[in-house]
Amino acid sequence: MNLLIDTSVWSEALRRKNKSVNSEDTFLFQIIKNEEEIFLTGIILQEILTGIKNQKLFDEINDHLRFFNYVTPTNKDHILAAQLRNDLAKKGTTIASIDVLIAQIAISNNLTIATYDSDFDKIAEHSKLKIINFEKYQSKI
């Protein structure tokens, strides 16, 4: 499966005191163990690195993340994300522009978002977005 890993999944493994990438109980560990194709985008990288005050840790995490596949949004992705956000708003669903852009990047690149963020559930209800959470992922393996 080709997965765009959301910030919530990276944070669980990289920023929690009692967990790391090697913690078997993290979503990310299970994804890596199953040799899924992992994708990132610049805004997720930025979200992961934001707030890390320790420069050594910042550099280590940044160095690890450079080995994954990156997808870059196009101008069309930005336009489609704006349309999708407008469509969601018409249906009474307000989602942050960044999350809608991440969703549109996944849709455009035929990626499934691995996430804990329920906002992506709301987007998926009204779009072609494919998502998977830890519980659904565990039941597939």
Side-chain angles (χ1 to χ4, degrees), residues 76-126:
K76 184 177 181 182
D77 288 324
H78 288 279
I79 293 165
L80 291 171
Q83 185 63 59
L84 177 56
R85 188 165 190 265
N86 292 344
D87 292 345
L88 290 166
K90 287 178 194 171
K91 294 173 182 168
T93 303
T94 304
I95 305 289
S97 293
I98 295 300
D99 286 346
V100 178
L101 177 59
I102 291 168
Q104 185 57 53
I105 292 167
I107 294 166
S108 294
N109 290 280
N110 197 29
L111 302 172
T112 300
I113 294 183
T115 188
Y116 286 114
D117 187 338
S118 63
D119 280 348
F120 290 107
D121 293 323
K122 295 172 191 171
I123 298 169
E125 288 176 27
H126 303 286

Side-chain angles (χ1 to χ4, degrees), residues 43-57:
I43 192 60
I44 293 174
L45 173 64
Q46 180 180 336
E47 287 181 327
I48 294 166
L49 296 174
T50 296
I52 300 175
K53 294 174 178 68
N54 179 307
Q55 189 61 47
K56 183 179 179 202
L57 180 59

Side-chain angles (χ1 to χ4, degrees), residues 5-140:
I5 309 298
D6 179 45
T7 308
S8 60
V9 175
W10 289 106
S11 292
E12 175 193 34
L14 297 174
R15 300 175 85 186
R16 301 274 168 90
K17 290 182 181 178
N18 296 325
K19 294 184 180 180
S20 72
V21 172
N22 297 321
S23 295
E24 291 187 25
D25 59 339
T26 66
F27 195 177
L28 183 62
F29 180 87
Q30 296 301 317
I31 291 167
I32 291 170
K33 181 177 105 177
N34 291 314
E35 299 181 359
E36 305 287 5
E37 197 69 29
I38 295 174
F39 291 81
L40 278 168
T41 192
I43 192 60
I44 293 174
L45 173 64
Q46 180 180 336
E47 287 181 327
I48 294 166
L49 296 174
T50 296
I52 300 175
K53 294 174 178 68
N54 179 307
Q55 189 61 47
K56 183 179 179 202
L57 180 59
F58 182 99
D59 293 340
E60 285 175 10
I61 291 173
N62 186 37
D63 187 52
H64 287 300
L65 295 177
R66 69 185 175 89
F67 294 105
F68 294 99
N69 302 304
Y70 277 79
V71 288
T72 303
T74 64
N75 286 343
K76 184 177 181 182
D77 288 324
H78 288 279
I79 293 165
L80 291 171
Q83 185 63 59
L84 177 56
R85 188 165 190 265
N86 292 344
D87 292 345
L88 290 166
K90 287 178 194 171
K91 294 173 182 168
T93 303
T94 304
I95 305 289
S97 293
I98 295 300
D99 286 346
V100 178
L101 177 59
I102 291 168
Q104 185 57 53
I105 292 167
I107 294 166
S108 294
N109 290 280
N110 197 29
L111 302 172
T112 300
I113 294 183
T115 188
Y116 286 114
D117 187 338
S118 63
D119 280 348
F120 290 107
D121 293 323
K122 295 172 191 171
I123 298 169
E125 288 176 27
H126 303 286
S127 72
K128 294 181 180 181
L129 179 65
K130 297 176 288 187
I131 60 168
I132 193 158
N133 61 32
F134 191 47
E135 292 74 31
K136 287 181 193 173
Y137 188 77
Q138 287 290 82
S139 68
K140 288 186 178 234

